[in-house]
Every structure is written in C-alpha cells, then in structure tokens.
Amino acid sequence: MRYRVLGPVHMSPRTPSAAKPRAVLATLLVQSNTVVSTHTLIDELWGAEPPRTATTTLQVYVSQLRKALPAATGETPAETDTAQPLLTRPPGYLMRVAPGELDLSVFESLRAEGRAAYGRGEYGDASQALSRALALWTGPALAGIPHGPSLQTSAIRLNELRAEVLEQRISADLRLGLHQELIGELMALAHEHPLREALHSHLMVALYRSGRQSDALQVYRRARRALVDELGVEPGPVLSRLQERILASDPSLAWHGEPERRLVPVGGSGDRPAEVPARDAGPTVWLPPAVADFTGREDQLIVGEQLLAGGYAGRNQVLVVSGRAGAGKTALAVRLAHGAADRFPDGRVLVTLRDAGGRAVESKTALTTLLRRLHGPQATGADSDAEPLPSSETELAELLHRRTAGRRMLFVLDDAVSEAQVRPVLSAVPDSTVILTSRHVLGALESVERLTLDVLSAPEAEALLTACGGERMRDDPEAAGEIARLCGRLPLALRVAAAGLAARPHWTAAGLAQRLRDERTRLAALALGDLDVRSSLLTAYRDVDEEARHAFRILGLASLPDFALWSAAALLGTDRAGAERLTEELVQAHLLEARRQPGRPATVRYGFHALLRSLALEVLAQECRQEGPAAVERLCRAFLTLARHADARLTPGRDRLALEAEPPAGVSPEEVVGSAPLRWFQEESAGLSEAVRQAHAAGLWSLCCALASASAGYYEAGALWDEWESTHDLALDAARRSGDVHAEAVVLRSLGDLAWQRHQTSAALDRYRLAAELFTRHGDRAAAGRCLSAEADALLGLGRVEQAERAYAHALSVSRPADDARGAAESLRGLALVALRQGRNEEALARLAECESAARSAGDHRWTEYARRTASALRTALASGSPATAASTPLEVRPGVWLFCPSKPAQRAA
C-alpha cells in the first residue's frame, strides 16, 4: 500500500522526515481526491498566528512532497507532469489517490462490506471483512505528526471508527460461537477502554457462555465502578439489562450449536503432531533455552524460516545474521533453531565463537567443540573404543565432514569475528544448514543469505519493555515510550532497563526514564549483574584496529542526527577518500550506520546509534580527551566555509562578518554545495545549529558568531524561528564575551529581523537602532544604512508611512556613497512601497526599476525577481483601470514576506 494514515503517517518508499511536510501530506491524504485550500493547510500548520512567509513555506513543503512522489511511482522527471499525484487546483491543492493506494480508503471499503454482511446475517463473512479492515491499522490514526484543527478532528473520527469496527467484529464472532476464543482479547480491551460499555457487554456474554457466570457479574461490577467514579453515571440500559439476564440465567443468552472453527494451527489439524521416527543414534541437541518473552522480528523470522524450510538440498545453506552488539542476533538464531526440530531430525548444535573474555576462538577450537557436542564421550576419548580427536585443523575438518555427511543437521555459529574464522567450519559441513551470527557484515563470504538486524520498531520496543518490566512499566506507557527512545530501541538495552526496574520494587518507570536522560551516565545505568550494555558495545569497539577506533571516537563529535562524508573528513583531518575508507570500515563493523538518502545532495549520510554515540564520547574522554577541541574547530571551520559559500549564492552580500576561515582538507565548497545552496542548507540545518552550540561551548567566539551570521539568511527564508533565535542568542553572548562590536551589531540586526517577523515591532526597533549605533561606531556605514531600511520596514508595518519614507531616504543616502548595491536595493524597494501606498504609481514603478538594477548589480537573483514581480503586478493593476486596488492590496515588503493591512499593526501574514 502506497500511503498510510491508519497509524504513523507513511508514504512508500520514502516518507518526509520533517514533521510539517508530513502534516501537509496527511491533510491531503485524509481529504484525497478533494481540493484542500491553502488557507486550510496554513491553519493546520501554524494555527492563528502563521509566519509572514507561510504561503512561501507551504509551497516549499509541497515542492518537497512532489519530489518524493515521482520517486515513489518510479516515474522519470520527464513523466511527472502526467504521473504527479499532487496537483495545484485553486484555491489550494489536490492529492490524486488511486483505489487501493490509501489504507484509509481500503479500510472504509472493508468496513462497508463487513457491515453489509452483518446486516444480512452472514456473520462469517462479516468477521473476515472487519478483521481485514482492522489489520490495516498500525497505531493511533495520524500518529507521529503535530495535529492542527483538521487533523485532530480526523484523528478522533478515525479512532472512533476503528473502535466501532472492532466492536462489530467481536459481535459477529460471538454470533459464530467463538466466545471462549474471545475472552482474552476482550479482557485486554475492557482494561484498555474501561468506559466503553459495549466491550464490557461482549465480555460478559463470552464469560457467561463459557460457564463463568460469577466472572461475568464481576465484569459488570468493575464497569459500574469505573462509570460512577469517572463520570458519575450508572451503566446504560443495555449493560444493566444484561446483568439482570445473567442473574436470572436467561436461557436465551446461552449458545446453542457448534462454534465455527477458525483456521487450524500450522502443521496439522489441531491434534498432536505426528511423531518423527526415532533414529538409532538419536538427535543431538545442544541449544540454550529460547527466550520466553521474545518480541517482534516477524519479518526476519519469516526470512529465516524460509531458508530452514528449504530442506536437504545437497549443499550447505548459510544464513548470515549481522547487526550491532545487543541487537538480539543470538536470540533470533536460537528461536529459529528451536522452531526447526522437525526439519533437522539429526540434530541442532550451537557453538560460540568467542571465549569468556570476548576474544575470538581459533577455527581449530570451534571444530573441536562441534565434534565433542556431536558425540559426547566419544569425542573426549573417554570411550576406549572411540578414536581420539586429531590435533590438526585439517584432520578435524575432515572428521567433522565424515560425521555429518548425509545427515540433516543445523549448526548455529554464534558471534563470528571474521570470514577466516568460519570458512574451515563451513567447508566441513557441506550437507548441513548453518545460521551464522556476527557483529560484522562478513561480506567476503560467498553464496550465503544475509539478514541484518536493526533496532526494534517503537511498538515492538515498548512491548518488550512491558513484557520484561511488569505492571509498573505497563501502567506508565508514556515513561515506557521514553525509555525505549533513550535505549535507542536496542533489545539488550531494553531488557537491562526493564530487568533493572523489576529488580527494584521501589523504583518507578518515570524514575528510570529520568535516570537515563543524561547521556553521560546512561551506559552506567544500563547494567545489572552480568548484563552490561557497555561491555557488549566495547567488545565491538575493540574488534576493529586502532585507526578505526580513533575514527569512532572522533566521529562521536559529529552533528546529530547524521552527518555527510565531508563532515567526517573535517573531523578526522583527512581527505574524502581517507574518510570514506574509515567510515565504511566502521559501517561493516556495525559501529556506524550508513543511511541512504535517495534524491538528496549527499546520497549517503552516516549516523550513530544513540548508545554507540554515548560510548564514542565516553572513550574519547577516557583515552584521548586532548584530540576533541581541535576536531571540533576543524568541523566548525568546515561548516563556516560551506555555509558562507551557500549563503553567498542564496542571499549575496547579506552577511557582514568577514572572518577568514581556510577550508580543512577534503572540503570543497563547489563540490559539496554545488549550485543548490538551499538544498544544502536544508540538509545541514540541524548540523549548523549544533556547530554553533559546539563553537560556543568550546569558547570559539568568532566562529560562533560567524556561523550564526552565515545561517541567518536561510533561517529567514525558511521561517525557522526557533533555530534562528537559539543560535543567535549564543552568538550574541559570544560577541559580548569577546568584545567584538562588529559581530554584536551583525547579530543584533538579525535578531531585529526575527522580532519583526514575529510581530514584536517594539523589540525589533530597539535592536535595529542599537545595531545601527554599533555599526557606526565600528565604521561600517553600509551596514548602518541597512539597519535604517529595516527600521523603516517596521515603521511601515505600524502605519507610520511618512516616518518610514524619511528612514528609507536616509538609508539610500548612506548606501549609495558606500557603494552598497544590496543596501541600495533594500532602500529603493522601501521607497517604492511608500509611493505605491500613497498612490504615486509612476514613482513606484521608477523606484522598482532602480531596485531591480541595484539587485542585479549585487548579484541577488531573489531580489531581482522580487522587484520585477512587484512592478509587473502594479502594471497589471494599472492596466485594468483600478489604481486604487494597487494601493490597498497586501504588500510583499521583502521577497516572500507579506504585509497585510499595514495601517494596523500585527496583522496575520500568509
């Protein structure tokens, strides 16, 4: 299914990662094949106070969705005009969705089918259709995105429909005589929804029909208590009447007839499975117990079971299960082995390929262990008739080959370190099936099936915590969700956290979550007895060579959530090829993740699992603390070089800071940024913000200010107010700590723009005026003139048109002598807006022409197009014979920034 809204919002094969584009997608999908107005989408995203750039930003989100949608269809760019499902249709947008593409439409179809069958008395068909409808759900409707008014209403409606379908399916099953099968499900549902009387009614009927009259009456008492305590009301007539009928043993409530049967269990008709004929020697089984509360991994289990179900094929079948330490590789392999007894009647044996200290055992040792486990006393030489085990690896392999030839056996080789370690064993058992687990990819092994274990999904992680942590974890789902996130959904970490809670009756789930929040002490908190997450992760760290360990430590300083190859090169102080070699080595060892980014500037980015990043920072502090500051400075200088390069193409001439920063080795602005500065900023936005914080924390004051200033143009264009404020607050502190008057002025001017965008006009005026004073003191008259233009924008928004005109004229008189083309363009634009507002249309056109010329001189395409666009709109209005309309329409005061009703302050912009 291509689109999903019945649970986390999802689009195959790639869902936008940012929340607001996903909210746009969800709003369009819920109203698919219907035009959704721009006004509705803006209200959904920003509520009653959208930014001035709301319309422009919405267009950016729509553009991002359109770029992802052709990839989803497999169409080439040339075909997207006809294949593109996201269309512009006045007054907004329309998402075309074909039948079967959206889970919601399939759900509604199956719901209608089930209701119709129920109405006809065809309860089997009704149960089947309604069950298929419920199977489409993967969580609460429209999960994982912020809800505005429209999505909130839709989520409530859809979740209620789900509950309605569930109740009708249960009713159909009761009419089929499946009351005993329903009891467990209904008990859980009644506990989860204590105020839904229909569920309690169904549970009472199921219990009564199963001969549990007293339990049915107890359900009524619990339901009544919940309704009285929570709502102050008595149960409704249906539930009350049902209690009376049960008390009276009403014969009409009983079930008369044989229940329908569901599908029989896999492997038989429900009777005892057929026994496997005994062999003379009997099967050899040497496996640890299966994990009782094994959770999730359904897809991976299917892959493994398919391999094991292949049966005897005359050649060895090998499944390599790889993943980071603690991912549950051994648990999966053991579960597969326990479930495959009938397929391997001659035996199932596990051998661990590390010793107690975590070091790799030799191939010879592994062969010896296998032979001993296959033949017990014979292999030890205790039987006088048994041949002693040979001493050489070759002879051991030949003996193992002879003893397994023609036998259907399964071997689990657990925790392999390298290909060289396992090749002698694999060649010795060509007639057997092998499951091989490893923290390394083992890519040099030929003719094997591969399965990579990642972390659990969020629902699976929370289910594992609940299974291992008991009632306290189950009773606080919010804390359980946070614990799952802080553990990075790593199975070992989840088990240790849950076991720690279970072992301490005086702890709460919320208290455990609080203990895990501090990244510096998180690994220490994830230890209990011999269960220690840090030790497991350290084993993987020590498996690689010193050069890779050094890279692992230093890359822990990279920006979250992921980073590009150029960042790795900067941190490591090497070129691109050297950085790629080291990062790929760490990826092969599952110490680093390679995350594919189809259709983005960097097709692959790298990132750490949360606990591995904690380990990297920990060992960096312990083993080579002195390397950290220099690596951070290299990274920040690389960010500055690239951000300035991108900013110079996005908003030429805007940045007034001139700190020179030589690009570190391996960082080429032309290669990294290319001709797509906006896309680069979007890709690296989180990293830029983190770089500002790192520079401030390291006391790199000038770099902190320069990074913030180089990013301000992007923050303004993208309406990223929170990032804008947080980075510039740090930069202002850095400028004042270092006594850099010019940097302070630059940051204040930018913070003034932020306040103006937020309709905080008084604060904006104060910052503009202070910045102008500091620029003048520093001798930067051009920048001081630009502050005058910004101040005039604020005055114009307050309706003080005459004051604004004087300020624009003053700014122009400063920028022209200073040969500041960008400043002149800003001032001329302002004078044109004043003339337009006062009905001096010819003067406005003349000023806009001058503005266009100045912007072209500055090399700023956005401002050039803005001046041309504004002049064209004015000419159109004049040609239509309605000059008064031109004077009263909203003003685009800056590119993409609109001013509505300028005579009234703080009006909403779109």
Side-chain angles (χ1 to χ4, degrees), residues 504-523:
R504 299 176 176 94
H506 55 288
W507 279 20
T508 64
L512 175 59
Q514 184 176 3
R515 289 175 173 85
L516 294 173
R517 284 175 194 148
D518 189 342
E519 187 179 21
R520 297 168 298 178
T521 59
R522 189 176 302 157
L523 286 174

mmCIF file of all heavy atoms in Angstrom, residues 504-523:
data_model
loop_
_atom_site.group_PDB
_atom_site.id
_atom_site.type_symbol
_atom_site.label_atom_id
_atom_site.label_comp_id
_atom_site.label_asym_id
_atom_site.label_seq_id
_atom_site.Cartn_x
_atom_site.Cartn_y
_atom_site.Cartn_z
ATOM 1 N N ARG A 504 13.966 -3.702 41.326
ATOM 2 C CA ARG A 504 13.921 -2.638 42.335
ATOM 3 C C ARG A 504 12.471 -2.226 42.547
ATOM 4 O O ARG A 504 11.963 -1.326 41.883
ATOM 5 C CB ARG A 504 14.752 -1.448 41.880
ATOM 6 C CG ARG A 504 16.240 -1.787 41.669
ATOM 7 C CD ARG A 504 17.000 -0.586 41.113
ATOM 8 N NE ARG A 504 18.415 -0.839 40.994
ATOM 9 C CZ ARG A 504 19.020 -1.284 39.892
ATOM 10 N NH1 ARG A 504 18.284 -1.529 38.804
ATOM 11 N NH2 ARG A 504 20.322 -1.491 39.868
ATOM 12 N N PRO A 505 11.771 -2.855 43.462
ATOM 13 C CA PRO A 505 10.343 -2.574 43.655
ATOM 14 C C PRO A 505 10.047 -1.128 44.028
ATOM 15 O O PRO A 505 8.920 -0.666 43.826
ATOM 16 C CB PRO A 505 9.954 -3.528 44.804
ATOM 17 C CG PRO A 505 11.007 -4.578 44.812
ATOM 18 C CD PRO A 505 12.261 -3.924 44.345
ATOM 19 N N HIS A 506 11.043 -0.406 44.572
ATOM 20 C CA HIS A 506 10.812 0.977 44.987
ATOM 21 C C HIS A 506 10.997 1.973 43.853
ATOM 22 O O HIS A 506 10.781 3.163 44.047
ATOM 23 C CB HIS A 506 11.763 1.337 46.137
ATOM 24 C CG HIS A 506 13.211 1.109 45.801
ATOM 25 N ND1 HIS A 506 13.755 -0.159 45.683
ATOM 26 C CD2 HIS A 506 14.223 1.977 45.548
ATOM 27 C CE1 HIS A 506 15.041 -0.057 45.383
ATOM 28 N NE2 HIS A 506 15.355 1.213 45.290
ATOM 29 N N TRP A 507 11.397 1.518 42.657
ATOM 30 C CA TRP A 507 11.555 2.409 41.507
ATOM 31 C C TRP A 507 10.238 2.504 40.742
ATOM 32 O O TRP A 507 9.386 1.624 40.814
ATOM 33 C CB TRP A 507 12.641 1.891 40.569
ATOM 34 C CG TRP A 507 14.047 2.221 40.994
ATOM 35 C CD1 TRP A 507 14.464 2.569 42.240
ATOM 36 C CD2 TRP A 507 15.200 2.198 40.167
ATOM 37 N NE1 TRP A 507 15.820 2.769 42.257
ATOM 38 C CE2 TRP A 507 16.297 2.549 40.987
ATOM 39 C CE3 TRP A 507 15.430 1.919 38.834
ATOM 40 C CZ2 TRP A 507 17.605 2.630 40.495
ATOM 41 C CZ3 TRP A 507 16.730 1.996 38.341
ATOM 42 C CH2 TRP A 507 17.798 2.359 39.173
ATOM 43 N N THR A 508 10.114 3.590 39.965
ATOM 44 C CA THR A 508 9.002 3.742 39.025
ATOM 45 C C THR A 508 9.551 3.820 37.616
ATOM 46 O O THR A 508 10.743 4.109 37.410
ATOM 47 C CB THR A 508 8.190 5.012 39.321
ATOM 48 O OG1 THR A 508 9.042 6.159 39.103
ATOM 49 C CG2 THR A 508 7.669 5.020 40.749
ATOM 50 N N ALA A 509 8.688 3.578 36.642
ATOM 51 C CA ALA A 509 9.128 3.701 35.242
ATOM 52 C C ALA A 509 9.553 5.131 34.935
ATOM 53 O O ALA A 509 10.542 5.357 34.224
ATOM 54 C CB ALA A 509 8.006 3.251 34.311
ATOM 55 N N ALA A 510 8.829 6.106 35.470
ATOM 56 C CA ALA A 510 9.197 7.505 35.233
ATOM 57 C C ALA A 510 10.553 7.821 35.856
ATOM 58 O O ALA A 510 11.365 8.559 35.279
ATOM 59 C CB ALA A 510 8.116 8.425 35.809
ATOM 60 N N GLY A 511 10.823 7.248 37.041
ATOM 61 C CA GLY A 511 12.128 7.465 37.666
ATOM 62 C C GLY A 511 13.249 6.852 36.865
ATOM 63 O O GLY A 511 14.344 7.434 36.753
ATOM 64 N N LEU A 512 13.016 5.673 36.286
ATOM 65 C CA LEU A 512 14.022 5.053 35.434
ATOM 66 C C LEU A 512 14.290 5.911 34.203
ATOM 67 O O LEU A 512 15.445 6.102 33.794
ATOM 68 C CB LEU A 512 13.562 3.652 35.027
ATOM 69 C CG LEU A 512 14.460 2.908 34.032
ATOM 70 C CD1 LEU A 512 15.860 2.732 34.585
ATOM 71 C CD2 LEU A 512 13.849 1.544 33.689
ATOM 72 N N ALA A 513 13.226 6.440 33.599
ATOM 73 C CA ALA A 513 13.409 7.317 32.430
ATOM 74 C C ALA A 513 14.257 8.529 32.798
ATOM 75 O O ALA A 513 15.135 8.943 32.022
ATOM 76 C CB ALA A 513 12.041 7.756 31.897
ATOM 77 N N GLN A 514 14.015 9.086 33.963
ATOM 78 C CA GLN A 514 14.797 10.251 34.394
ATOM 79 C C GLN A 514 16.275 9.884 34.549
ATOM 80 O O GLN A 514 17.159 10.679 34.193
ATOM 81 C CB GLN A 514 14.243 10.780 35.714
ATOM 82 C CG GLN A 514 14.922 12.056 36.197
ATOM 83 C CD GLN A 514 14.277 12.593 37.463
ATOM 84 O OE1 GLN A 514 13.361 11.986 37.997
ATOM 85 N NE2 GLN A 514 14.748 13.729 37.930
ATOM 86 N N ARG A 515 16.574 8.700 35.072
ATOM 87 C CA ARG A 515 17.969 8.279 35.233
ATOM 88 C C ARG A 515 18.671 8.092 33.898
ATOM 89 O O ARG A 515 19.894 8.206 33.815
ATOM 90 C CB ARG A 515 18.023 6.968 36.025
ATOM 91 C CG ARG A 515 17.682 7.120 37.497
ATOM 92 C CD ARG A 515 17.627 5.750 38.187
ATOM 93 N NE ARG A 515 17.460 5.879 39.626
ATOM 94 C CZ ARG A 515 16.282 6.013 40.231
ATOM 95 N NH1 ARG A 515 15.172 6.029 39.487
ATOM 96 N NH2 ARG A 515 16.212 6.139 41.539
ATOM 97 N N LEU A 516 17.913 7.774 32.869
ATOM 98 C CA LEU A 516 18.516 7.503 31.554
ATOM 99 C C LEU A 516 18.671 8.762 30.695
ATOM 100 O O LEU A 516 19.284 8.693 29.629
ATOM 101 C CB LEU A 516 17.664 6.484 30.795
ATOM 102 C CG LEU A 516 17.607 5.074 31.384
ATOM 103 C CD1 LEU A 516 16.597 4.231 30.623
ATOM 104 C CD2 LEU A 516 18.976 4.413 31.342
ATOM 105 N N ARG A 517 18.112 9.878 31.125
ATOM 106 C CA ARG A 517 18.121 11.068 30.267
ATOM 107 C C ARG A 517 19.512 11.652 30.065
ATOM 108 O O ARG A 517 19.805 12.211 29.012
ATOM 109 C CB ARG A 517 17.193 12.132 30.847
ATOM 110 C CG ARG A 517 15.721 11.834 30.600
ATOM 111 C CD ARG A 517 14.814 12.818 31.280
ATOM 112 N NE ARG A 517 13.439 12.322 31.313
ATOM 113 C CZ ARG A 517 12.576 12.583 32.261
ATOM 114 N NH1 ARG A 517 12.919 13.362 33.291
ATOM 115 N NH2 ARG A 517 11.349 12.082 32.221
ATOM 116 N N ASP A 518 20.364 11.551 31.059
ATOM 117 C CA ASP A 518 21.711 12.128 30.957
ATOM 118 C C ASP A 518 22.586 11.209 30.118
ATOM 119 O O ASP A 518 22.903 10.084 30.526
ATOM 120 C CB ASP A 518 22.310 12.306 32.349
ATOM 121 C CG ASP A 518 23.614 13.112 32.320
ATOM 122 O OD1 ASP A 518 24.214 13.235 31.233
ATOM 123 O OD2 ASP A 518 24.017 13.630 33.378
ATOM 124 N N GLU A 519 22.968 11.685 28.929
ATOM 125 C CA GLU A 519 23.757 10.856 28.017
ATOM 126 C C GLU A 519 25.085 10.445 28.638
ATOM 127 O O GLU A 519 25.601 9.371 28.349
ATOM 128 C CB GLU A 519 23.997 11.616 26.704
ATOM 129 C CG GLU A 519 24.670 10.786 25.625
ATOM 130 C CD GLU A 519 24.862 11.555 24.334
ATOM 131 O OE1 GLU A 519 24.859 12.800 24.377
ATOM 132 O OE2 GLU A 519 25.035 10.910 23.291
ATOM 133 N N ARG A 520 25.621 11.267 29.526
ATOM 134 C CA ARG A 520 26.936 10.980 30.114
ATOM 135 C C ARG A 520 26.898 9.783 31.059
ATOM 136 O O ARG A 520 27.917 9.108 31.235
ATOM 137 C CB ARG A 520 27.453 12.208 30.859
ATOM 138 C CG ARG A 520 27.697 13.423 29.960
ATOM 139 C CD ARG A 520 27.910 14.676 30.791
ATOM 140 N NE ARG A 520 26.722 14.995 31.584
ATOM 141 C CZ ARG A 520 26.637 16.010 32.423
ATOM 142 N NH1 ARG A 520 27.678 16.808 32.603
ATOM 143 N NH2 ARG A 520 25.524 16.238 33.107
ATOM 144 N N THR A 521 25.755 9.517 31.673
ATOM 145 C CA THR A 521 25.661 8.410 32.638
ATOM 146 C C THR A 521 24.720 7.299 32.180
ATOM 147 O O THR A 521 24.450 6.383 32.936
ATOM 148 C CB THR A 521 25.172 8.953 33.997
ATOM 149 O OG1 THR A 521 23.878 9.572 33.822
ATOM 150 C CG2 THR A 521 26.147 9.984 34.551
ATOM 151 N N ARG A 522 24.248 7.384 30.962
ATOM 152 C CA ARG A 522 23.245 6.422 30.502
ATOM 153 C C ARG A 522 23.782 5.002 30.452
ATOM 154 O O ARG A 522 23.125 4.056 30.896
ATOM 155 C CB ARG A 522 22.720 6.837 29.126
ATOM 156 C CG ARG A 522 21.518 6.022 28.656
ATOM 157 C CD ARG A 522 21.005 6.558 27.338
ATOM 158 N NE ARG A 522 20.643 7.961 27.460
ATOM 159 C CZ ARG A 522 20.584 8.812 26.442
ATOM 160 N NH1 ARG A 522 20.888 8.390 25.210
ATOM 161 N NH2 ARG A 522 20.248 10.067 26.628
ATOM 162 N N LEU A 523 24.995 4.837 29.932
ATOM 163 C CA LEU A 523 25.547 3.489 29.838
ATOM 164 C C LEU A 523 25.764 2.884 31.218
ATOM 165 O O LEU A 523 25.554 1.684 31.421
ATOM 166 C CB LEU A 523 26.866 3.516 29.055
ATOM 167 C CG LEU A 523 26.731 3.718 27.542
ATOM 168 C CD1 LEU A 523 28.101 3.871 26.909
ATOM 169 C CD2 LEU A 523 25.995 2.549 26.912
#
